[in-house]
Amino acid sequence: MMNILNGGCHADNNLDIQEYMIYPIGAETFSDSIQMGTETFYHLKDILRGKNLATTVGDEGGFAPNLPKNEEGLALLVQAIERAGYSPGDQMSIALDVAAQEFHHSDGYHIDGRIIYGAALGDLYSGWLDEYPIVSIEDAFGEDDWSSWARFTKNDGHRVQVVGDDLFLTNMDRFAQGMEMGAANSLLIK
């Protein structure tokens, strides 16, 4: 997975989603995947320039433009994949590291200039899954929003990798709780 668009705490822009990544699932070799990713990255840069958007990069090396909504980042990735000559969902997919803990507050999730609860955030992701070739969503909800994790994994875990990173914190007690609740279908161990 290659991080090519940054937001959240990794960039000084208005995107809430921390990492938008491309995933060259159609590559036959490692060098093919690097080529596919690099081509897509540079096509994204051309698209951003064409829209008079910033092509500076965030902390993790992805472009960091201001966009009207977080979903616009997904649309830009699909455009870049297509311009690079690849088929979205067949040759190149999308992965997200949402890092929702960063925009989760006591009154809800602050995303796209509004405040919503976990169920509505899960519904937002479900809609994105319907529209975009997303195969992985990491840290979709806040670290202690167990019910939203479990609901989303139950509803959409059959069609997307739901990755717990900040959720589990490589902590055995949190792993056990997450497994019991069905909070995620994959995890990141550090």
Side-chain angles (χ1 to χ4, degrees):
M1 296 179 195
M2 301 172 188
N3 178 1
I4 66 171
L5 192 66
N6 287 160
C9 68
H10 286 182
D12 292 329
N13 63 6
N14 66 338
L15 293 176
D16 305 298
I17 306 298
Q18 184 170 274
E19 294 178 9
Y20 296 75
M21 297 171 275
I22 52 173
Y23 186 14
I25 59 173
E28 293 185 18
T29 65
F30 180 74
S31 61
D32 288 345
S33 66
I34 296 296
Q35 178 179 338
M36 292 170 71
T38 301
E39 290 169 352
T40 304
F41 178 85
Y42 282 105
H43 280 283
L44 177 58
K45 185 175 187 175
D46 289 343
I47 291 167
L48 294 173
R49 280 188 178 152
K51 294 179 179 283
N52 293 320
L53 294 169
T55 57
T56 54
V57 295
D59 295 346
E60 302 262 325
F63 297 113
N66 283 315
L67 299 174
K69 291 177 129 183
N70 287 279
E71 185 175 355
E72 180 67 21
L74 297 169
L76 288 169
L77 262 59
V78 169
Q79 289 175 29
I81 291 166
E82 291 173 339
R83 281 211 192 158
Y86 302 110
S87 174
D90 293 323
Q91 295 174 295
M92 184 82 70
S93 292
I94 296 173
L96 299 173
D97 180 355
V98 176
Q101 184 67 30
E102 297 296 324
F103 58 88
H104 183 239
H105 302 278
S106 60
D107 59 347
Y109 292 93
H110 293 225
I111 185 167
D112 287 332
R114 60 191 175 129
I115 302 170
I116 60 177
Y117 293 105
L121 184 59
D123 292 343
L124 179 68
Y125 299 146
S126 294
W128 290 354
L129 293 174
D130 293 339
E131 296 294 321
Y132 303 98
I134 300 170
V135 296
S136 180
I137 300 178
E138 180 181 335
D139 290 330
F141 302 96
E143 294 170 12
D144 293 316
D145 190 357
W146 291 98
S147 61
S148 294
W149 278 94
R151 178 182 179 270
F152 181 71
T153 301
K154 180 180 179 185
N155 292 341
D156 289 295
H158 65 282
R159 62 184 184 147
V160 68
Q161 178 175 276
V162 183
V163 183
D165 175 17
D166 295 342
L167 173 67
F168 295 120
L169 306 167
T170 314
N171 176 301
M172 293 306 293
D173 293 333
R174 291 184 69 90
F175 287 154
Q177 182 176 353
M179 286 188 289
E180 182 178 318
M181 294 184 72
N185 59 19
S186 60
L187 60 104
L188 184 64
I189 298 174
K190 297 179 181 176

